Amino acid sequence: MITRIEIDGFKSFENFALDVPPFLVLIGTNASGKSNLLDALSFLSAAVTRGMESAVALTRGDARGLFRQTGDGGVVDRMRFSVRFHQSARYEVVFAWGLQDDGLEGIVVESERVEGSDHGGRWADIEMDFTMFGPREPKTRFAFARMIWRELRNITILHLEAGALRLPSQVGGGSLLEQSGRNLPNFLRRLAIESGVKFPRGAGLQEISMRLVGLVREVTGFDVVVDEARRDVRIEFSSQYHARIGAELASDGTLRMLAVLAALHDTGLVAIEEPENGVFPDRLRQLLGIAQELDGDRQVIFTSHSPVVLDVVPPRNIAYFDMTTIIENGVPSRVTRVRRLRDEGGPAAVENERWARVTDSELDRFRAGIEEPVG
Ligand SMILES: Nc1ncnc2c1ncn2[C@@H]1O[C@H](COP(=O)(O)OP(=O)(O)O)[C@@H](O)[C@H]1O
Ligand SMILES: [Mg+2]
């Protein structure tokens, strides 16, 4: 589980630090950096465990555009990510703009560092004799380094699109859920196959199905159907009124809910953009409840503009994003800052915290859907 993320030089982040509980909702005004944080997670995960090319392809913007633009029109030449994990392991990597192995300019790794301890022993700050980069777990005797690689690999980012959710999967294709929600049928199949092993309490598709039926009244269940003749895998819903509804005919909201519930059932970190899209407020309320009740290895981050969040999520599980101005070489730049909410009846300012807590009037404006005045 990830417990803290620090970012410098990626998109709108400089001197940015966010403590991450098992469940977190990012709220805040438009263009405050919420999606940039999901981009950062997606980029880091893919760069380390899937290769730089797919990392850039999966992230909004081209490679150079990932580096932070400064107020004077320049671009920084380094990006630093530091990620802390439970058991206090930490991974830090610095990327730079430079010459790649193929002789072309691109994003290159400048340094990597892993800290942690095995078996409760002394802290090891290892001189790297391996790299975390690669499609396989790094070959090292440090178990915490292999754990870090698996955690980075197990990050899923979802910007669900109804069109992609309707598509069938290929028989024998991969089982990864794509950012758009494409490949949901094979992803569900994988959850079903693993459920016996991973969810000893009999969870898996039955539990997803039960929750889906509780959330959306138009269906009574679903199946994942393999069509050998067409060589594809499809989702079919059942309902009281029709024998079967294929994914191509199901409602956007139903498909989105299914994808979100399925993603919540996997292990690792899942970050989902605006789960409220196409969903009634009451269903969002229920969904936020489900996400908070998850136990085990699942870590969930949502972004949201919905006031429902303030009603059902405790302040400590909400992070409020906005932009602030920093002065670099005498020139102002806008960067993302993140602030915490006041605990119920708690103080507005807390010692040793960089920023004061979010004010009631800011929360009132968020609730009312009114943009913050530029300041
Ligand atoms: N490379 C970059 N350097 C500086 N700012 C950036 C960079 N890339 C994106 N941004 C800024 O990030 C903001 C968009 O943030 P985003 O995360 O999409 O907002 P939201 O909170 O609405 O999801 C824009 O204002 C954009 O100017
Ligand atoms: Mg956004």
Side-chain angles (χ1 to χ4, degrees), residues 96-285:
W97 187 255
L99 278 188
Q100 303 173 147
D101 289 344
D102 58 11
L104 299 174
E105 282 200 323
I107 302 174
V108 296
V109 181
E110 189 173 85
S111 67
E112 271 184 296
R113 182 177 170 152
V114 183
E115 294 167 357
S117 84
D118 277 341
H119 314 298
R122 271 191 307 140
W123 295 111
D125 179 358
I126 50 178
E127 193 62 47
M128 286 271 227
D129 54 358
F130 62 95
T131 166
M132 298 293 274
F133 282 79
R136 304 246 137 56
E137 256 181 49
K139 284 204 167 53
T140 160
R141 65 199 161 86
F142 298 107
F144 62 83
R146 299 195 300 271
M147 178 276 287
I148 288 173
W149 185 92
R150 287 196 300 275
E151 295 259 5
L152 290 175
R153 171 95 174 188
N154 255 336
I155 293 175
T156 306
I157 309 293
L158 297 178
H159 309 261
L160 298 173
E161 296 164 20
L165 289 166
R166 293 183 200 292
L167 297 173
S169 293
Q170 299 307 307
V171 171
S175 61
L176 213 67
L177 186 58
E178 293 181 19
Q179 291 199 2
S180 61
R182 190 173 175 159
N183 206 33
L184 181 59
N186 272 354
F187 178 70
L188 285 166
R189 273 192 92 198
R190 197 199 89 208
L191 291 182
I193 291 163
E194 286 180 351
S195 64
V197 191
K198 281 210 171 152
F199 302 100
R201 282 161 296 129
L205 292 194
Q206 293 92 326
E207 192 168 331
I208 294 173
S209 184
M210 219 180 61
R211 290 202 153 131
L212 183 71
V213 172
L215 270 172
V216 296
R217 259 160 274 158
E218 58 267 25
V219 301
T220 54
F222 75 91
D223 269 324
V224 182
V225 184
V226 180
D227 186 333
E228 290 292 352
R230 287 200 279 194
R231 306 284 303 150
D232 67 17
V233 186
R234 300 163 174 274
I235 299 164
E236 283 186 359
F237 296 95
S238 50
S239 88
Q240 281 173 290
Y241 309 104
H242 312 279
R244 298 249 148 213
I245 311 168
E248 49 316 329
L249 296 178
S251 82
D252 288 4
T254 301
L255 284 164
R256 284 182 69 91
M257 285 296 105
L258 176 56
V260 171
L261 290 172
L264 295 182
H265 261 268
D266 200 8
T267 53
L269 188 156
V270 62
I272 305 179
E273 277 273 21
E274 300 169 14
E276 69 263 27
N277 285 345
V279 172
F280 259 69
D282 202 40
R283 292 179 176 182
L284 177 66
R285 204 167 277 131

Side-chain angles (χ1 to χ4, degrees), residues 10-12 29-37 60 64-69 273-274 305 323 334:
F10 179 88
K11 291 201 169 182
S12 56
T29 46
N30 274 134
S32 56
K34 303 181 296 296
S35 300
N36 289 347
L37 185 73
R60 292 181 302 164
R64 197 67 180 113
L66 300 183
F67 291 81
R68 186 172 66 82
Q69 290 172 27
E273 277 273 21
E274 300 169 14
H305 292 122
M323 288 281 185
R334 300 287 278 171

Side-chain angles (χ1 to χ4, degrees), residues 306-339:
S306 171
V308 167
V309 171
L310 297 180
D311 297 339
V312 295
V313 180
R316 65 174 182 282
N317 297 100
I318 301 176
Y320 183 95
F321 279 52
D322 67 1
M323 288 281 185
T324 190
T325 302
I326 57 169
I327 305 293
E328 301 173 284
N329 307 320
V331 182
S333 292
R334 300 287 278 171
V335 299
T336 294
R337 85 176 155 172
V338 59
R339 285 178 298 154

